Amino acid sequence: SMAVLTKWSFERGFLQYINTVEKEAQNILIDTLTEEYRLQGNWEFLRGNPQRWSELVFASFMTTPTVQGRMASEGMSTELRPRSEHQDDNSRRSRFRYEPRQILLDQDRQLIVGYARNISTFTQVSIKDGGQTIGYLGIFPVTGLYDMHDLRFTREQGRAFSMIALVVVVILTLVSLPLSRHLVKPIPSITGAT
């Protein structure tokens, strides 16, 4: 039961971490979209351009304080480099995978870019410029660990927790046997004296 509780606690904490990063990324993305809209004057630069949309979403994710701090602590480069013409999407995504779960809607809540079967399932956050709503960022909420990489990571952590628990049980058994013998040894002499 302790292993199940530990697994549940870890998955819950990991899910909170993912949601924290996504909230940070959402704020960065809204700021970026507002600035881009101001420069372009409309959303046409993103309409029918899923690659540019993915790059904006990816950049917002990679520049969050949480991700930047984690990468810096692990000695990884935090610099976002422009995609070269010779680099294909597969090599980039294999290095650091992030699948956008965001969509962009115009001020009339019509889809501009992103993939959505049902727009109503997305949490919609208004994008404002000078007090005027210029669009909505739709975010599909994370309610569980479904991504293949997330699941593999939690499975690996679960195995590590299980191994640690097994080692602790073995060590406790090895320590408790001699200790119990030492504690029980005087009992026969005490019972014989009475």
Side-chain angles (χ1 to χ4, degrees), residues 121-149:
T121 60
F122 285 76
T123 302
Q124 297 177 17
V125 180
S126 62
I127 304 170
K128 296 186 179 204
D129 185 23
Q132 177 187 0
T133 300
I134 56 174
Y136 295 88
L137 178 63
I139 300 133
F140 192 76
V142 179
T143 56
L145 301 175
Y146 307 112
D147 180 74
M148 184 176 65
H149 296 288

Side-chain angles (χ1 to χ4, degrees), residues 32-47:
T32 303
L33 289 170
T34 303
E35 186 61 33
E36 289 285 332
Y37 184 89
R38 209 175 282 142
L39 291 170
Q40 303 290 333
N42 57 41
W43 294 119
E44 291 307 310
F45 72 100
L46 283 173
R47 195 177 303 277

Side-chain angles (χ1 to χ4, degrees), residues 51-164:
Q51 181 176 341
R52 178 71 179 129
W53 174 246
S54 289
E55 288 171 357
L56 288 172
V57 172
F58 182 76
S60 69
F61 172 75
M62 293 300 290
T63 55
T64 61
T66 303
V67 171
Q68 289 278 303
R70 180 72 186 253
M71 290 175 68
S73 72
E74 293 181 11
M76 297 170 69
S77 171
T78 58
E79 179 187 347
L80 277 179
R81 288 179 227 112
R83 186 161 105 59
S84 75
E85 293 177 20
H86 304 294
Q87 182 182 26
D88 66 353
D89 285 334
N90 290 334
S91 68
R92 185 174 188 178
R93 288 198 185 269
S94 65
R95 258 198 351 258
F96 202 95
R97 188 170 178 273
Y98 182 72
E99 291 297 324
R101 286 191 315 280
Q102 295 85 354
I103 58 173
L104 179 62
L105 307 172
D106 65 16
Q107 58 270 28
D108 298 322
R109 298 183 194 260
Q110 298 301 307
L111 184 65
I112 295 171
V113 69
Y115 177 73
R117 288 186 190 173
N118 183 359
I119 292 174
S120 66
T121 60
F122 285 76
T123 302
Q124 297 177 17
V125 180
S126 62
I127 304 170
K128 296 186 179 204
D129 185 23
Q132 177 187 0
T133 300
I134 56 174
Y136 295 88
L137 178 63
I139 300 133
F140 192 76
V142 179
T143 56
L145 301 175
Y146 307 112
D147 180 74
M148 184 176 65
H149 296 288
D150 295 344
L151 290 171
R152 184 175 59 218
F153 177 74
T154 57
R155 267 196 307 270
E156 288 170 1
Q157 293 301 310
R159 278 190 225 120
F161 285 139
S162 297
M163 290 303 294
I164 291 168

Side-chain angles (χ1 to χ4, degrees), residues 150-180:
D150 295 344
L151 290 171
R152 184 175 59 218
F153 177 74
T154 57
R155 267 196 307 270
E156 288 170 1
Q157 293 301 310
R159 278 190 225 120
F161 285 139
S162 297
M163 290 303 294
I164 291 168
L166 182 63
V167 167
V168 167
V169 167
V170 168
I171 290 172
L172 287 175
T173 303
L174 292 174
V175 168
S176 67
L177 285 175
L179 184 61
S180 65

